Amino acid sequence: MTNTAYVELLNLACGALLATAVLILWRRQFAAIIRWFGVQGLALASLAAILAVHGHDARLGAIAAGVFALRAVALPWLLRRALARAEAAAVQPQRETRPLVNVTASLLAAAVLTLLAYAVSQPLTALTPASPAAHAIPLGMAVVLIGFFSLVTRRRALAQVTSFLLMDNGITAVGLLTVASTSLLVELGVSLDVLLAVLVLQVLTGRLRETFGSTDLDELRELRD
Amino acid sequence: MNALGITGGVIQAVVITGGAPLLTGVMRQVRAKLEGRKGPGVGQPWRDLRKQFRKEAVAPEGTSEIFRVAPLALVATTVVTAVVVPFVTSASAVEPMADLFAVVALLAMGTATLALAAIDTGTAFGGMGASREVTILALVEPTLLVSIFALSVPAGSTNLAAIVAATLNDPGRVLSPASMLAAIALTVVTVAETGRIPVDNPATHLELTMVHEAMILEYAGPDLALIELASSMRLCVFLGLLASLFAPWGIAASPTPLALAIGTAAFAAKVVAGGAVLAAAEVFMAKIRLFRVPELLAGSFLLAVAAVASSYFLAGAS
Amino acid sequence: MSTSALGLGLAGTIALLTTLAVLVIPFRLRPTISGAGTALVGTAGLAAGAAALAGQSFTLPLPSLLPLSGLSFAVDPLSGVFIAVTGAVAVAAGIYAIGYTSHSGTSRAAAAVLPLFVASLLAVPAAASVATLLACWELMALTSLLLVLTEHKQRPEVAEAGLWYAVMTHLGLVCLLGGLMIFTAHAGGDSFAALAAAAPELSPALKGAVFVLALAGFGSKAGMVPLHAWLPRAHPEAPSHVSALMSAAMVNLGIYGIIRVGFGLLGGGSTWWWLLVIGLGAASAVYGILQAAMSTDLKRLLGYSTTENMGLILVGVGAAGLFASAHHPELAELALAAALLHVANHAGFKTLLFLAAGSVLHATGTRDLDSLGGLRSAMPATTLAFGWGGLAASALPPGTAFVSEWLLVQALIHGLHGATTATAVTLPLAVSAVALTAGLAVATFVKAFGTGFLAKPRTADAAAARESPATMLAGMGLAGAACAALALVPGALLPAIGRAVAAAGWPGPVIRYGTNGLVTIRLAGLAGEVSPLLLTLGLVIVMVATAAWLRALPARRAQGARRRARLWDCGGGPLTARMEYTATSFAEPLQRVFDDVVAPETRLDVTHLDEARYLVAAIEYRAQVPDRIERRLYQPILSAVAAWGSAARWLAPGSVHRYLGYGFYTVTAVLIILTVTR
């Protein structure tokens, strides 16, 4: 792969990551959110594949395949299934999120967080100024912060799960961009972690629905004595 | 193991086994005379032993082998101690066994076996005697070991032969503060371990006052004879230890018949004198309450610690 | 590959295979496979430890096994002692567990985890880096917790005991983590070699902090006062083979840690460290045996006795450090050798005692000494086992603990020459603490053996006891044989212990023990010798001779068998079991003497008749000896923590968004500050 092609493809993949994150923050319907999440997984997998091809690293290629399988295929499928079950069980199917902060304010906050991410990532980029991957780190950081913000401001449990996964995508991206050679074991561990978290949160969501009839987290306040 | 030690061991075994009842007889006679009685005579304990050995052996209901083995264990520990400790000669019959800690632990083992036998009878007296006896045993241990510590500092070892030799080489050391304090502490220990007044009354059978007697209440015949013999021998051994540690003059240093005869006579004289003093003191003292005994033993512990401290802190004392 | 590496590898493999096997095989075979597997793991460990003691060390780094730091193992003679002891205990406990768990039942998880527990016990002394040590330590804690909770369905107290154990062991882990992380941070590498190389450059304050934290963590595991509260709670509630493993193998690893960190890694240190160790050791010894003397629960008594013995071992370790920092290497080596020998001896007799107690529990269903008694006729083998164990534990000749306590006292006594004032004050106090402990131990085990096994049974449960099955007796027999060997010929083990002492870390000549060290133990360079074998021989000869002479008496020959006689009952009718002394009454004089320390609680409830207030309908009297340190030290801390928790509830209004918001705002604020202040 020529150097310019590599740089172009890398920036494209990272740009796609950030764009899908903003779209997830913007859209209100669950089905759309899950679709954009799948696209983001594809972007992440292609990022890993680009790095693998450029660095001639077979292990990174295996990681790329794993990321694709998990974040572009398995997790969206699980989320869609959970959505379908929620729609089947609920009296009033809720298709939309109802965030605490309205969409305009959320997008403005996302812009501020992206700027913050650029500011914070300066030392990391300064470590290897010649590498194009290092210049793309702020994008990954921005995805993490946007994910965190989304986690804080979402009411519905399913939206929160998606935000958590968004954050994790961002962390994986930063990890791929910064580390020279990742250990397979670490990736495996992290992936298993994520899978487990999703499964647990699914169960939790189901229980919430049974108890309260909805998955509005504000209703959890009633549990405090 | 040399010739001196072996001859000493044999002589000691014979003299202590044969002479211990005589020591008891002397002590009772001294008490009787001081109390204005005629007394049974010095040979009465021997006559009692002979009578008991002729009686039939009994096994009380519900007791097990521990009850039958305890008198044998008591006699064994006392005889082994009598053989290895250097009383008559300055060398021990079996050097590795003549360690002061080992001897003390051996004597404690005999007491513990007797306490177990007392519990084995299943009577309230047995349990009571055993419970009181192990309490006193537990409280005597610190004084005993710290006194041994104090004695071992000048000799550089806890081996009895070494301590005796060190005292023979430097007789003035006996008058040092460390030595005097240790002597008083060990005297209290002797009284406690052998069950004499003021810790225990060896002639009482009142529930309130028995310690040793309660443990042997169920014994009769040859078993009782063995236990009485072992008790007398224990007293003999303790008095002999006091003599060897603090007044070892007259001890035989060579295996000639004259030296051995002098050594034996010196040992017998010192032990009888010590016993007479003890008996005389008993006439003027009463037995103290069981729960005052810890105070007495704590006092002796304090003296022992003072002995160790003085052997370190006072210049020229170690 | 050296034998020790082979043995440890084999042990690990067998443990994993047994765990997997137990998870799949049917219920009926589970106890046998689990117990036999554990015994095999123990045998492999024993072989590995023996090889290491014989001088075969090995080092095995495995950098790829754990991310970031890798695992690395190294075995030298010091670890060999602990590995060998654990292996031996596991053999006896494993064989015993076959019979015990087939009769009392066990869950699949507990049976599966037993060999893993033993494997983690073998791995901890073999660890050569901080990460490995902590990983194996945590594995040991988790597996032992699972094992303690085996019987939680049958009894509710088990859950509480498990909770105490879990909390305290993890608090200990936190202390360990803190101390070792400080050390590693300043050393720039987490292998023990790197730590030892970096130690001379550290400041004394830092080294002191590391040592105190390590002492807290390892001491808590060893049952050191005041961090001992889990021991008398967890050991009675665990099944007996697990109690034996915990008391005889796991607590030793606390001692191993202190020796390794104190001597090997930190290179000895200031005098005040070792005075602290001696002080805590002496306090543990006296407090432990005092509580044991008051206890009427058989296994709780044995648990407190473990605290006592660990206290004695800590006195030895502390004395070794004290003498090393005062530049008396031969005394330091003697003290450490005494401590290591006592580790081995304690493992032997504590295993025997716990296995025998388990046998009693299995036969009668109760651990309460006030309800037992008269087991001698129905359970002769168990009685013999407990009696031998009790003799061994009370430091009387010909028992097992006599030689190691003799060595310890010799080390303390010879230290007075040329000592500093602090040492000269500490040594007599240490000797008196050891002496008081020895005396109280005699009282405790006379009580336990006498009231529990002799005389008449006090309840129907005790009267209905039957002897235990053959595998349980075999386990006890192995432990008893080991005790006997250690009691009569401890000289066989001393050269190996000398190598272990040399491996502990300070420079100096190795002790050369006397050439006939098998029969007589001679101290090199100091005057002192003792021979337990000759003592025992002398006793036996005299006893046999006296018995023969008695038999030969003419009166006895004419009589034949002994006549059965009535016990003296003051003429008041046949004696009942109710008139025997109970364990509580036996300990009552001691309790009165130590009233201020022990602080027993009594409660008297008098119920009057409704109609007439002067007449009494019922009286209930309850007496209890609580753990005073728990009352005075732990309760206030727990109340303070609970008060903090209640006060902090205003931070938690119940809104999930608020909680997430805390995290988000904090992270963002930190990032902004980082950006601004760079």
Side-chain angles (χ1 to χ4, degrees), chain B residues 56-57 59 65 99 158 223 312, chain C residues 376 406 410 419 559 562-563:
Chain B
E56 57 176 347
E65 300 83 22
D99 187 273
T158 53
D223 294 327
Y312 172 76
Chain C
R376 152 77 193 77
W406 184 84
Q410 289 292 326
Q559 176 193 359
R562 284 181 177 240
R563 177 168 72 85

Side-chain angles (χ1 to χ4, degrees), chain A residues 100 113 116 119-120 122-123 141 145 148-149 151-155 160 183 185-186 217-218 220-221 224-225, chain C residues 64-67 649-661 663-665 667-668 671-672 674-675 678:
Chain A
L100 278 174
L113 287 172
L116 182 63
V120 168
Q122 282 306 325
M141 246 347 260
L145 288 173
F148 205 162
F149 178 74
L151 188 62
V152 177
T153 55
R154 290 285 180 263
R155 276 218 183 84
Q160 287 216 328
S183 161
L185 206 62
V186 176
L217 285 167
D218 276 345
L220 274 179
R221 246 190 245 234
R224 181 182 185 265
D225 61 355
Chain C
S64 52
L65 214 53
L66 262 190
R649 277 172 62 185
W650 71 270
L651 271 177
S655 162
V656 176
H657 294 103
R658 174 91 73 105
Y659 305 149
L660 288 170
F664 180 68
Y665 298 137
V667 168
T668 319
L671 286 177
I672 293 177
L674 276 177
T675 319
R678 191 165 8 93

Side-chain angles (χ1 to χ4, degrees), chain A residues 72-131:
Chain A
V73 176
L75 285 176
W77 177 73
L78 274 173
L79 289 170
R80 259 192 285 272
R81 216 176 57 163
L83 183 63
R85 217 183 289 139
E87 285 186 2
V91 171
Q92 262 184 337
Q94 290 153 333
R95 292 216 178 81
E96 297 187 348
T97 74
R98 238 185 350 116
L100 278 174
V101 177
N102 64 32
V103 180
T104 322
S106 307
L107 290 174
L108 284 175
V112 170
L113 287 172
T114 313
L115 287 175
L116 182 63
Y118 262 99
V120 168
S121 312
Q122 282 306 325
L124 278 173
T125 323
L127 277 177
T128 50
S131 150

Side-chain angles (χ1 to χ4, degrees), chain C residues 286-356:
Chain C
V286 175
Y287 187 75
I289 196 64
L290 201 52
Q291 287 286 349
M294 303 297 133
S295 173
T296 54
D297 177 334
L298 188 52
K299 286 175 79 167
R300 202 174 142 98
L301 187 153
L302 293 176
Y304 271 120
S305 163
T306 302
T307 300
E308 173 230 340
N309 283 289
M310 287 299 123
L312 289 176
I313 296 172
L314 280 175
V315 169
V317 169
L322 199 62
F323 294 137
S325 64
H327 307 293
H328 293 304
E330 67 286 346
L331 279 174
E333 289 170 10
L334 181 61
L336 194 58
L340 289 176
L341 185 62
H342 200 72
V343 167
N345 286 344
H346 170 249
F349 67 72
K350 195 44 66 71
T351 311
L352 184 59
L353 285 169
F354 263 114
L355 296 186

Side-chain angles (χ1 to χ4, degrees), chain B:
Chain B
M1 275 213 229
N2 48 18
L4 182 65
I6 296 183
T7 39
V10 169
I11 295 179
Q12 278 161 209
V14 169
V15 166
I16 292 182
T17 314
L22 287 177
L23 172 68
T24 314
V26 165
M27 288 173 70
R28 286 188 197 162
Q29 201 63 16
V30 165
R31 274 196 74 157
K33 281 290 186 279
L34 282 173
E35 288 168 2
R37 296 182 280 122
K38 189 161 163 223
V42 169
Q44 184 59 30
W46 259 125
R47 293 193 279 270
D48 288 335
L49 283 178
R50 212 174 58 199
K51 172 186 77 175
Q52 279 160 350
F53 274 127
R54 284 207 196 117
K55 290 193 171 179
E56 57 176 347
V58 294
E61 288 163 354
T63 55
S64 63
E65 300 83 22
I66 304 250
F67 185 83
R68 293 192 282 280
V69 159
L72 298 174
L74 204 56
V75 168
T77 55
T78 331
V79 166
V80 165
T81 316
V83 166
V84 303
V85 175
F87 295 126
V88 169
T89 55
S90 61
S92 161
V94 185
E95 278 281 329
M97 280 158 68
D99 187 273
L100 199 41
F101 283 126
V103 161
V104 161
L106 210 53
L107 292 169
M109 158 78 172
T111 316
T113 322
L114 196 61
L116 277 175
I119 302 177
D120 195 26
T121 59
T123 61
F125 288 115
M128 183 182 75
S131 144
R132 293 172 180 176
E133 181 70 33
V134 298
T135 307
I136 297 177
L137 177 67
L139 297 174
V140 149
E141 287 288 312
T143 310
L144 203 44
L145 261 67
V146 175
S147 311
I148 298 176
F149 190 174
L151 286 170
S152 73
V153 169
S157 156
T158 53
N159 188 296
L160 278 161
I163 297 179
V164 167
T167 319
L168 279 175
N169 280 342
D170 183 9
R173 199 183 281 145
V174 174
L175 294 173
S176 66
S179 191
M180 300 261 78
L181 290 168
I184 302 176
L186 279 177
T187 312
V188 175
V189 165
T190 304
V191 166
E193 286 263 18
T194 53
R196 314 295 307 183
I197 290 177
V199 171
D200 180 18
N201 187 344
T204 180
H205 286 96
L206 295 174
E207 206 173 289
L208 221 60
T209 56
M210 285 197 283
V211 178
H212 184 257
E213 287 298 311
M215 289 199 290
I216 62 175
L217 204 63
E218 293 298 328
Y219 279 108
D223 294 327
L224 184 59
L226 281 181
I227 290 185
E228 297 284 354
L229 181 61
S231 299
S232 314
M233 287 173 65
R234 232 174 120 98
L235 183 57
C236 203
V237 161
F238 268 102
L239 289 171
L241 261 177
L242 280 177
S244 289
L245 291 171
F246 298 105
W249 305 289
I251 275 191
S254 58
T256 58
L258 184 63
L260 288 172
I262 294 179
T264 317
F267 168 65
K270 282 182 268 188
V271 165
V272 167
V277 167
L278 208 57
E282 284 182 9
V283 175
F284 299 99
M285 271 195 292
K287 177 185 168 317
I288 58 178
R289 274 188 62 191
L290 178 68
F291 290 114
R292 294 249 187 267
V293 171
E295 296 171 10
L296 176 68
L297 295 176
S300 66
F301 174 66
L302 196 59
L303 291 175
V305 171
V308 172
S310 64
S311 75
Y312 172 76
F313 285 108
L314 294 180
S318 63

